[in-house]
Amino acid sequence: MPDTKRHIIEKESVVVKFVGDSGDGMQLSGSVFSDSAAMAGNDLATFPDFPAEIRAPQGTVAGVSGFQVHMGSEKIYTTGDLVDVLVCMNPASLKSNIKWAKKGATILVDTDSFDNKAIEKAGYKLSPLSDNSLESYNLIKAPITAMTKESLKDSGIDNKTAERSKNMFALGILYFIFNRDTKLAFTYFEERFKKNPKIVEINKIVIQAGYNYAETVEALESVIQVGPAKMAKGRYRNITGNIATAWGLLAAAEKSGRPLFLGSYPITPATEILMELSKHKSLGAKVFQAEDEIAGICSAIGASYTGSLACTTTSGPGLSLKSEAIGLALITELPLVIVDVQRGGPSTGLPTKSEQSDLMQALFGRNGEGPIIIISASTPDDCFYKAYMAAKLSMEHMTPAILLTDGYLGFGSALFRIPKVKDLPAIKPPIAEANDPDYKPYKRNAETLVRQWAIPGTEGLRHRIGGLEKENITGVVSMDPQNHQLMVDLRAAKVEKIADFIPEQEIDGEKKGDLLVVSWGGTFGAVHSAVKLAQDQGKSISHAHFSYISPLPKNTEKVLKGFKKIVVCELNSGQFVNYLRMKFPMPNITQFNKVQGLPFMINELTDKFNQILEEK
Amino acid sequence: MPDTKRHIIEKESVVVKFVGDSGDGMQLSGSVFSDSAAMAGNDLATFPDFPAEIRAPQGTVAGVSGFQVHMGSEKIYTTGDLVDVLVCMNPASLKSNIKWAKKGATILVDTDSFDNKAIEKAGYKLSPLSDNSLESYNLIKAPITAMTKESLKDSGIDNKTAERSKNMFALGILYFIFNRDTKLAFTYFEERFKKNPKIVEINKIVIQAGYNYAETVEALESVIQVGPAKMAKGRYRNITGNIATAWGLLAAAEKSGRPLFLGSYPITPATEILMELSKHKSLGAKVFQAEDEIAGICSAIGASYTGSLACTTTSGPGLSLKSEAIGLALITELPLVIVDVQRGGPSTGLPTKSEQSDLMQALFGRNGEGPIIIISASTPDDCFYKAYMAAKLSMEHMTPAILLTDGYLGFGSALFRIPKVKDLPAIKPPIAEANDPDYKPYKRNAETLVRQWAIPGTEGLRHRIGGLEKENITGVVSMDPQNHQLMVDLRAAKVEKIADFIPEQEIDGEKKGDLLVVSWGGTFGAVHSAVKLAQDQGKSISHAHFSYISPLPKNTEKVLKGFKKIVVCELNSGQFVNYLRMKFPMPNITQFNKVQGLPFMINELTDKFNQILEEK
Amino acid sequence: MDFVNTTIERSTVQLSKADFESDQMVKWCAGCGAHAILAAVERVFPKIGYRKENFCMISGIGCSSRFPYYVNTYGIHGIHGRAAAISTGVKIANPKLSVWMATGDGDSLAIGGNHFIHVIRRNVDINILLFNNQIYGLTKGQYSPTTPMGKVTKTSPQGTIEHPFNVGELVMGAQGTFYARVPDNNIGLMTEAMFEAAKHDGTSIIEIMQNCIIFADKAHNDVIGKEHKDENMLNVKNGQPMTWGKNNEKGLILKDTLLEVVEIGKNGVTADDILVHDAYSQDPGVHLMLAKLAPPHFPMVFGVIRSAMFPTYDDMVEEQIKYAKETSKIKNVDDLLNSGDTWEIK
Amino acid sequence: MDFVNTTIERSTVQLSKADFESDQMVKWCAGCGAHAILAAVERVFPKIGYRKENFCMISGIGCSSRFPYYVNTYGIHGIHGRAAAISTGVKIANPKLSVWMATGDGDSLAIGGNHFIHVIRRNVDINILLFNNQIYGLTKGQYSPTTPMGKVTKTSPQGTIEHPFNVGELVMGAQGTFYARVPDNNIGLMTEAMFEAAKHDGTSIIEIMQNCIIFADKAHNDVIGKEHKDENMLNVKNGQPMTWGKNNEKGLILKDTLLEVVEIGKNGVTADDILVHDAYSQDPGVHLMLAKLAPPHFPMVFGVIRSAMFPTYDDMVEEQIKYAKETSKIKNVDDLLNSGDTWEIK
Ligand SMILES: Cc1ncc(C[n+]2csc(CCOP(=O)(O)OP(=O)(O)O)c2C)c(N)n1
Ligand SMILES: Cc1ncc(C[n+]2csc(CCOP(=O)(O)OP(=O)(O)O)c2C)c(N)n1
Ligand code: SF4
Ligand code: SF4
Ligand SMILES: [Mg+2]
Ligand SMILES: [Mg+2]
């Protein structure tokens, strides 16, 4: 802990954002910083902010890359709307991010990067550092590049390499600002670069130099202290939604005894799940990088037929391509987990931005009557549990499940209390027994309507299934009108019955009142925070956040009926709200939507709630 | 006209069905018969009933092929629920079709085909001709095969060829039964087989022999007379829905001055549209049989960009595959007509059967927010007009349009009063002018919000479009949050505004009342007939049949509000009804559904209406 | 036949045709070439020696793709064009299955073309029976990617204007390791090729010149028809000289870079001059030339044209997993969850 | 350059690079090989001689597919893998456009593989610039269908187990008529090949060995790098002997059925012995052999390897339409509506 004479300001939560050129190492600074925060006991959530291009031209606004950390001594639900501390490595990053800074925010800039050329490239006429436009902020101007080089002049590395460490100098300054021990950062490097002591050494030097610099400059009149959060006991880690999704699937495979198969094609923002699972062959995961999305899902259907926990991961455009094959999986009544990490649409749309606009496609995007399971995840760590549940329900109920996450969840991180696999709910797929004389491909469990999973290689169970309508029980091809009606109804009823196996819908707040705020998926944190604010102000408002979408929890109608007004908040033009209207055609359901590739801001939500509550 | 002493029964309408083995020529008998009925002034509708296999094993129920004709001296709305006259060429066809015969129906069988082997193959234990099971029908047993051969013994053709004419012998008998001049049938052959007089001669001999046979047998105590229908003046032809669709597109191309391009991949029941358009290169139609559905639609998008009226035709599974590319067409705001001839789903489903279960997929089957035009056709001849309107609206409003027909419409035929192209509504696509200095790719007409169509090759209009979100007006790639919201809203508003350019929703019956029956697409005939029956019985019931689905007609809500109860009848599990509930969440909307690969029967509908009207 | 794949469990009893007959009515048209292919498969499967439960038959959509219903194995009648992708998943997930695929020229070369070239490139160990009838049968007679140019079909009233694929050339262009061509009217050639395919480790393509009696009748007749076959069919066998003709009097030689037809006994040509077929050669050069040959100037080549050794994708998957299991410290999901940066809150 | 396609209207003024520069910021990474390709295109287009409004540039999705934004032509930035299908529609609908396509090894050989082989088979007259960087660039570094086996990438932590496509072999296996291979570090070779492609009637594939400095840096360096190119690059030219080396001392000859490397002046080999390149040969045999060659035992072959004459799909479409218009009695839709069986009700 720094021994500082400066004034210490205690804060419950702080949002810090590192921004710079794509090559400036902002993702690394952010990761080291958030790691230390976690070690220091803060709860936190992070979000990286990439440009759409790999490395758009240096110094341009298009090339700015960022990393945001929201940390607190209270429970953290979002990655933060506006920023308390902004670290800017160049003019372009200041230009594109100043709009996210709170009034009065601390802004740390590398003055060395503000030469005329760079200022112009960023689209400024005059230097923002000298035109008083930043008056309302706490601006810290530091010659970061020069000092980084200076600090490394004895290290024996060349100037260019030295310059690349400037992000660590900035980081050192932040450790001072947050009254954080630089040892926490040192540990990060020591653990990760065991084999490369030179890297560890250089980073230590620069971080400490930054820290020392901050200690001596006048601009810093106070330091910020964010104390440890009260968190449930246990072992923790930081996890992104995509990694959590991958791990949830691995856990379900282990628990069910069914080997994991992933057939997938890369697509932003879902690719990390594929990349992560590729690493876990030691757990027996078979990962097939297919030639396209169709081959991804079709290979998974083949694998599912053989008795694997089969999965495919994608984003919106890829889900479109999988539409036809989802139909095959549902008519053959095979388990299959389809993960859709939603992004901005339609078409290629805003590939690196987040949105919730694939819900209708997930529900209805295939020919014929084809209900399946739809589940959504609420937070990065929740992705683990919802991926697990998607796999469990899909296998136990022999029908495909779509897990909807989004780019915001997938790339964002949160703290994850590590569970033990033995404590996870059991998964018992309905595997047919060898030589069962009564085995028939479409014979069903009377209660759940689920058919059995007969695994190729098993003696006495040879059978063929396929995409043509099948006779119930026997599974032979049938064009019979009554049988078709029966099968359409059975497939729907089977999915509906899953409502008996999922939790009832919870309400956060009173069960009756003026306004029920409904949300689903990745907006949980923002909506939860906004509702809590309103509740704290004494408003008659409650929150129902849906994770299970198809089927809906059994008590859904009851939940909705308890309120005078209902508003469904979504990052689309109104999809869940319309789904609810179909199921429960009630005139008092309104909607609040935003389709900007951005998460909800808490104040947008509270404004809306207040407006609805005031309306007569 | 036959000079007969038999009793003549006048009928307003009669349903005749020809059934036999796939190789028995039932489609031809049916076509000749319906052609003659049309010539004689009847209104009519026909429907072929193929097996799913090309030629399933001879003599089996799976191999039965049929052709149904509904003809009348009144307007004919459906192809008929139950059959008045059933012509059976073998035991299997009797076995599989007897359930469609009205009690007391006339059943003509070829007794020569009822040998023990054939009876067994059809799945009968005993001959149905001798076990009294057909007592309640007017059974005409004729040794058709033997007499056909006999009639041709002097014609110089071999026995096998002669045997293949037995369908014409049966046809001859029918001409007698319907008091029809065989000359009408002779004309059919004379016109079509000008170059092959031998074929004409043989068919004439056999038809006349059948006629003469009927004249002399005792079973025929009466003949049926169906007088000419009162029809609007004009030139008529018989047309199937698929041909009408193809021609509607050709007409729109001619009228708009935009060359027709079709990119398509064969799929039942849509293939005929592709086959038909392949024949019309003399009209400049460019038809590209693509390697798959995706190439079909993508080639069409390319063609649309160049200024063609671009189309793609498919059925449900193909529409699934086109999902992603529909997104590209809508975000690039290019015109594109997508025809979906719906069939039984999900997956491969019931490929030769009809269903209305792709509506939700048409509305929502793509990633992101992607509203487009959806239109449906009501009758085979209406396919012409709705294909025309889909093309017109798509080009004039620069957004894709899906035309939903179905297998029942596509294969079925109706009489078509031939329009003149000059009387069709004008089509004026918003083509950008060469060297327009103000041209911008996403500049919009203030009233319609439509952008211009700038055609490659035109001087001064070079521009690039694509699937990434574009800045409004300029069309440059934009990841800006506000612009994305704007564009999502503009694309939706543009489609909504099309409501100003389509007819208001009509009501058949009173504008207010106890029950409004709602339907859409190919169920028009059955629902119309059933409602009319109920109206004739004095019930307070009206009918609103929707052709325009997205956007809905402007007065839709008003239409719905006029009734105490509403029932939406569809051949799916309830898709249009849910779409209406989304738009107009009213608790009094109920539904009536059937998912059997079969059309509604009129009595099913009337029973349902009565039940609803009686409920309190 | 000698047993090949040691991964797949052998049957302890002698199987017969009856073990593979399904109880479903075969619904192809009378006279369709598919019937003979079914007969060949029912003859081959019991002789391969695997347990009957270890066969898995995958297909797409088309007349040909109805195949799985007609053999009693595990199987999937998939969706159009995707059989190769489904098969890939089956084989990777369970390499202990003998995976066979029944498909058509539309199913695998039109809509399924991409999966077809990729499964070949990856050399996944599956056996593909490609029913090439040069037409879309099930949809009633539109031209396919193998329909000869100029042919009038339901969608080409003026004749097609598309240059067709040559299956063998496409297979080799896609880095194929096994390619055989057989006629549907010679069950001996069919079963032989199927045996060889079963033995081959990697993707095996058997192109079967199949007759669609309804929509493309006699499409192959000029080559494989009784009256033409002596003249126009060259059946190659590994290690044997490439000769044909009524009395085996014709042969192939290589002159400069091109194959040439010679007659033994004429112009001093002796049997020794004739090129000997080397199906196992790694180099696809001559295999490609053989696949391309066609009347009128050349015979069409049948039999196993190429059968080159190459590691299979599925074997390599298993090897990587084995290696990872041996070397990784992460043995179960608890290990994984607790790996890397974690900390305790007490 | 001599003017080729008489269908496409010529420019009446001399165009320059500036005519094709777009106003959009080029957002590829500094050092990406794509910049050089753009420079080559901007150099070639004005010289082709067509009106500038007659160029149309189509792409799919990938770093490479951003290309249309950077040239001032008509163009579409399409969806992933579908550029060939979109281009096909553009060209058929308007054969008076000069259609170019920019695509990547993922875009055209992974998801777009089927459209790629079909456009080639049909010989639609479009020019395809295939940026082969052996990686998925835009999605940040997963292996592609051209990544060499064993390479460690983001999705192959133990090295890939996939046998890659050889683009030239695939093109020829798909009945390709034009194939050239060029390095991104030689603008001369690039522009030459682009000119030849423009001249060629039919589908032209130009495979550009492009460097992705971020995710697969130096993937081609062993062949095209300064220090390796003399040794490992053979630049072929139609009608010229196939020699290379610092002093052009090495050459290719054909021995039996295989290509062999010889040194001129050694073992009695003279310049006359060296095989002369015949790019226009119909037979793909030697072209395929050339495409397959690679170090260490052979050079890699660059330049226009194949350029064979064959009717184009788009020309045949126009011919059939012309014929139909001349011969059919149906001249307009009213004729059509009234054709066949019709009757009057009065
Ligand atoms: C997605 C999709 N597109 C199109 C079809 C229609 N279809 C079924 S089979 C077929 C072609 C069959 O040709 P081929 O594979 O050669 O099989 P064959 O019937 O000739 O054996 C087509 C186009 C379909 N079932 N699904
Ligand atoms: C349907 C769909 N699937 C996947 C993606 C994600 N994606 C975009 S580009 C790309 C691969 C790019 O590789 P390549 O074509 O080689 O282009 P490069 O970036 O290397 O130039 C992928 C997988 C997408 N945009 N759309
Ligand atoms: S249509 Fe052709 S391919 Fe299909 S079953 Fe009949 S003969 Fe065989
Ligand atoms: S990621 Fe690679 S291919 Fe993409 S722009 Fe950068 S260097 Fe070029
Ligand atoms: Mg076929
Ligand atoms: Mg690439």
Side-chain angles (χ1 to χ4, degrees), chain D residues 115-268:
Chain D
H115 313 304
F116 184 74
I117 59 177
H118 277 90
V119 73
I120 290 172
R121 172 174 76 79
R122 295 190 185 103
N123 206 31
V124 183
D125 188 11
I126 66 174
N127 308 299
I128 300 183
L129 307 173
L130 176 58
F131 295 42
N132 183 1
N133 56 10
Q134 300 184 345
I135 201 83
Y136 296 164
L138 191 69
T139 48
K140 308 193 177 175
Q142 303 78 30
Y143 64 88
S144 91
T146 59
T147 302
M149 202 173 210
K151 180 123 182 164
V152 172
T153 71
K154 293 253 189 76
T155 41
S156 55
Q158 295 172 268
T160 72
I161 55 175
E162 302 204 354
H163 193 59
F165 282 132
N166 172 310
V167 177
E169 287 183 83
L170 185 63
V171 169
M172 290 176 221
Q175 312 291 323
T177 58
F178 184 103
Y179 170 68
R181 189 191 278 142
V182 293
D184 67 355
N185 61 1
N186 186 328
I187 196 161
L189 281 181
M190 279 196 282
T191 52
E192 243 171 76
M194 289 177 194
F195 272 130
E196 292 300 319
K199 276 202 259 179
H200 177 74
D201 280 337
T203 311
S204 311
I205 309 296
I206 304 179
E207 180 189 8
I208 307 169
M209 301 315 228
Q210 176 233 347
N211 194 43
C212 170
I213 194 168
I214 307 290
F215 299 113
D217 195 22
K218 302 202 166 68
H220 308 295
N221 196 58
D222 287 354
V223 179
I224 68 171
K226 252 202 199 114
E227 56 293 21
H228 301 290
K229 71 178 187 346
D230 285 344
E231 200 59 24
N232 288 338
M233 282 180 70
L234 160 55
N235 298 320
V236 295
K237 265 212 153 79
N238 186 53
Q240 309 244 319
M242 296 194 263
T243 59
W244 74 102
K246 235 189 207 90
N247 310 301
N248 255 351
E249 73 283 8
K250 295 188 200 170
L252 283 183
I253 63 160
L254 250 166
K255 200 166 165 200
D256 295 334
T257 64
L258 301 171
L259 293 171
E260 207 178 280
V261 176
V262 294
E263 208 155 318
I264 300 171
K266 279 201 183 153
N267 301 325

Side-chain angles (χ1 to χ4, degrees), chain B residues 54-55, chain C residues 27-29 31-34 63 133 137-138 210-215:
Chain B
I54 303 304
R55 298 266 162 99
Chain C
K27 290 186 182 168
W28 290 310
C29 306
C32 175
C63 292
N133 55 11
L138 191 69
Q210 174 234 348
N211 195 44
C212 170
I213 194 167
I214 306 290
F215 299 113

